[in-house]
């Protein structure tokens, strides 16, 4: 950290609540896949604000769309409708290949999208299932779905009725729906699943898991809720990860939650309800938001979607993601065990629990990445990342060394 950064960081710690720990750098500017700190040092952003800046920083089309909408009509409340909001709802239904009767609720973040889905599950009534390792957000309802004890325990009691099943265990999943368990504990209202668990360290489900989940929930009249806040909006190389043949096997969920990449950095979340039944679980007055779906946020999301379509960024996510994965593994860096994930949501798994040190070394070398677990580095770069930029990351991993700690 340079001296200007240090001065700002001191001011930060005196004025901003310490929920995140000290900031790694103070950033002043971004363009494309790069950001700059207070001293003009440039970083290749391989995290994009945690899988958010799909179009990188200061993308001309996104900047123009938000500026134009803001100068025209920025916020109106949900007493009124706007053209961008309606168009965005229709577009999300198209991308999700949603059947007739499907509808969208707009929110401002991932956790709020999950709150909407949680309330839909409550309207069905019954037990709510989520998976071990799950991350669904930090508000109280979403937190009840999140698994990590350190996030939950300081805030108990949380909304009741959520059970966490062992990750990827098909027999445990079937057992939760079995007549014996249902007789003892009641019917299942909903099952929440991240097609790839991002916060847990980019962990995939075994093949067949999502389709088994689809069959079991459908037979029980329970909702299958795909939390694609992190995996959605092209991140994995499909619009939504459940659409990837190797992950979703063609299933359609009842509810799809989105945020992160949706607005390309402009805060917006959505809960997409598939089919008339899911779409009418929340009736008039049963849910609401002041900001959700405002014209400026909707215009941002429409611009992101248009750029992904116009510039073939789904294909780019697959090809550059494959390049990162295969090239990092091919150079056989001593610190790297494997690379996992899909598209441009990847984790570089290390042979030792030194992810934090590697991230510090990366910053010094001009790369932003994230130590998602002690032995996993998450890469979630902008979907516009080029092959040349990916090669820079490959070279970093090939060369990085960590100083042995003196015992
Ligand atoms: C980030 C995330 C959330 C929470 O989103 P926020 O916008 O931080 O509230 C929920 N679910 C998943 C899968 C996430 O990755």
């Amino acid at each position: 950290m340079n001296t200007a950064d240090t001065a700002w960081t001191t001011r930060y710690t005196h004025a901003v609540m310490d929920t995140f720990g000290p900031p790694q750098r103070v950033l002043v500017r971004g363009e494309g896949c790069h950001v700059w700190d207070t001293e003009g040092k440039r970083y290749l952003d391989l995290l994009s604000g945690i899988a958010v800046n799909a179009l990188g920083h200061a993308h001309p089309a996104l900047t123009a769309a938000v500026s134009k909408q803001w100068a025209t009509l920025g916020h109106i409340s949900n007493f009124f409708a706007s053209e961008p909001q309606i168009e965005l709802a229709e577009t999300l239904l198209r991308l999700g290949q949603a059947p007739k009767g499907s509808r969208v609720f707009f929110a401002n973040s991932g956790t709020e999208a999950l709150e909407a889905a949680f309330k839909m599950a409550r309207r069905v009534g019954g037990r709510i299932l989520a998976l071990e390792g799950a991350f669904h957000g930090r508000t109280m309802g979403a937190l009840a779905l999140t698994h990590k004890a350190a996030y939950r325990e300081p805030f108990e009691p949380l909304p009741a009725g959520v059970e966490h099943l062992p990750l990827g265990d098909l027999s445990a999943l079937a057992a939760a729906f079995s007549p014996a368990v249902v007789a003892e504990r009641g019917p299942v209202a909903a099952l929440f699943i991240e097609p790839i668990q991002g916060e847990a360290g980019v962990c995939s489900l075994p093949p067949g898991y999502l389709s088994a989940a689809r069959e079991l929930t459908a037979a029980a009249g329970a909702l299958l809720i795909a939390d694609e806040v992190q995996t959605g909006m092209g991140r994995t190389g499909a619009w939504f990860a459940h659409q990837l043949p190797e992950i979703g096997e063609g299933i359609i969920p009842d509810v799809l939650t989105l945020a992160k990449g949706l607005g390309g950095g402009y805060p917006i979340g959505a809960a997409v309800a598939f089919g008339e039944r899911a779409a009418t679980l929340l009736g008039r007055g049963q849910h609401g938001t002041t900001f959700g779906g405002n014209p400026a946020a909707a215009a941002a999301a429409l611009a992101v979607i248009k750029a992904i379509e116009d510039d073939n960024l789904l294909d780019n996510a697959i090809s550059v993601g494959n390049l990162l994965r295969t090239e990092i593994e091919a150079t056989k860096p001593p610190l790297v065990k494997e690379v996992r994930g899909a598209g441009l949501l990847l984790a570089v798994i290390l042979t030792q629990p030194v992810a934090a040190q590697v991230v510090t070394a990366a910053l010094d070398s001009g790369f932003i990445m994230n130590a998602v677990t002690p032995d996993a580095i998450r890469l979630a770069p902008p979907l516009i990342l080029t092959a040349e930029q990916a090669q820079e990351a490959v070279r970093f991993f090939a060369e990085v060394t960590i100083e042995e700690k003196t015992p």
Side-chain angles (χ1 to χ4, degrees):
M1 215 181 265
N2 64 56
T3 31
D5 262 20
T6 309
W8 278 109
T9 301
T10 305
R11 287 168 63 179
Y12 174 99
T13 55
H14 288 107
V16 180
M17 217 179 272
D18 188 27
T19 56
F20 300 101
Q24 296 171 10
R25 290 289 189 278
V26 179
L27 302 176
V28 294
R29 189 167 77 82
E31 190 186 325
C33 294
H34 291 102
V35 292
W36 285 262
D37 71 12
T38 50
E39 239 177 27
K41 181 177 160 90
R42 191 180 82 158
Y43 302 85
L44 182 63
D45 186 359
L46 298 169
L47 186 61
S48 49
I50 318 186
V52 167
N53 302 310
L55 306 184
H57 300 268
H59 190 280
L62 178 53
T63 307
V66 172
S67 307
K68 181 161 176 243
Q69 187 59 48
W70 194 254
T72 309
L73 183 69
H75 173 78
I76 51 175
S77 90
N78 283 297
F79 293 141
F80 302 94
S82 72
E83 292 164 2
Q85 176 202 36
I86 297 163
E87 241 185 84
L88 178 59
E90 290 171 351
T91 304
L92 290 177
L93 295 176
R94 167 174 67 83
L95 300 180
Q97 296 169 299
K100 207 169 158 293
S102 304
R103 285 174 203 114
V104 182
F105 179 87
F106 288 114
N108 309 289
S109 64
T111 202
E112 284 179 59
L114 268 295
E115 290 294 327
F118 195 105
K119 286 174 82 171
M120 291 181 200
R122 278 286 198 260
R123 295 291 298 150
V124 172
R127 297 148 58 216
I128 294 176
L129 308 178
L131 302 185
E132 291 181 358
F135 182 83
H136 295 294
R138 304 281 206 148
T139 52
M140 295 301 267
L143 190 55
L145 301 165
T146 292
H147 181 245
K148 198 171 177 173
Y151 294 169
R152 301 165 55 88
E153 281 171 1
F155 305 102
E156 287 170 349
L158 296 169
V162 180
E163 299 168 26
H164 287 95
L165 306 176
L167 180 65
D169 181 338
L170 273 163
S171 55
L173 180 65
F177 289 85
S178 69
V181 173
V182 169
E184 190 194 314
R185 290 194 233 146
V188 176
L191 167 62
F192 285 78
I193 296 184
E194 298 158 84
I196 298 173
Q197 290 187 338
E199 296 308 303
V202 189
C203 305
S204 299
L205 294 162
Y209 192 90
L210 259 186
S211 52
R214 177 66 288 181
E215 277 171 32
L216 287 162
T217 46
L223 302 174
L224 176 63
I225 299 174
D227 181 358
E228 298 230 28
V229 166
Q230 188 152 166
T231 52
M233 302 317 298
R235 175 58 45 199
T236 64
W239 281 109
F240 309 112
H242 73 264
Q243 295 173 333
L244 287 171
E246 64 273 27
I247 291 181
E249 295 158 331
I251 65 118
I252 299 250
D254 298 296
V255 182
L256 170 68
T257 53
L258 302 171
K260 291 202 166 87
L262 178 57
Y266 205 103
I268 180 169
V272 183
F274 289 73
E276 197 73 39
R277 177 193 176 221
T280 53
L281 285 167
L282 297 178
R284 263 182 217 173
Q286 290 185 331
H287 201 38
T289 163
T290 300
F291 294 113
N294 75 61
L302 284 169
V304 169
I305 292 166
K306 185 169 189 312
I308 292 175
E309 285 181 330
D310 289 352
D311 301 340
N312 294 321
L313 296 182
L314 299 183
D315 293 343
N316 195 61
I318 291 178
S319 62
V320 178
N322 282 342
L323 184 157
L324 272 172
R325 183 208 299 251
T326 53
E327 296 284 306
I328 291 173
E329 284 185 345
T331 56
K332 295 200 188 306
L335 268 177
V336 174
K337 192 162 108 193
E338 55 162 339
V339 184
R340 67 185 181 211
L344 284 173
L345 180 60
L346 299 170
V348 179
I349 310 304
L350 306 176
T351 51
Q352 304 164 49
V354 291
Q357 290 98 303
V358 171
V359 163
T360 303
L363 273 173
D364 292 340
S365 307
F367 298 95
I368 292 178
M369 33 187 98
N370 164 244
V372 66
T373 69
D375 71 348
I377 307 247
R378 174 172 44 181
L379 304 178
L383 305 184
I384 59 168
L385 192 78
T386 65
E388 293 71 34
Q389 289 165 336
Q391 290 291 3
E392 294 174 32
V394 172
R395 277 197 295 280
F396 166 78
F397 281 103
E399 289 163 12
V400 65
T401 53
I402 297 298
E403 273 177 49
E404 293 291 329
K405 277 209 198 93
T406 40

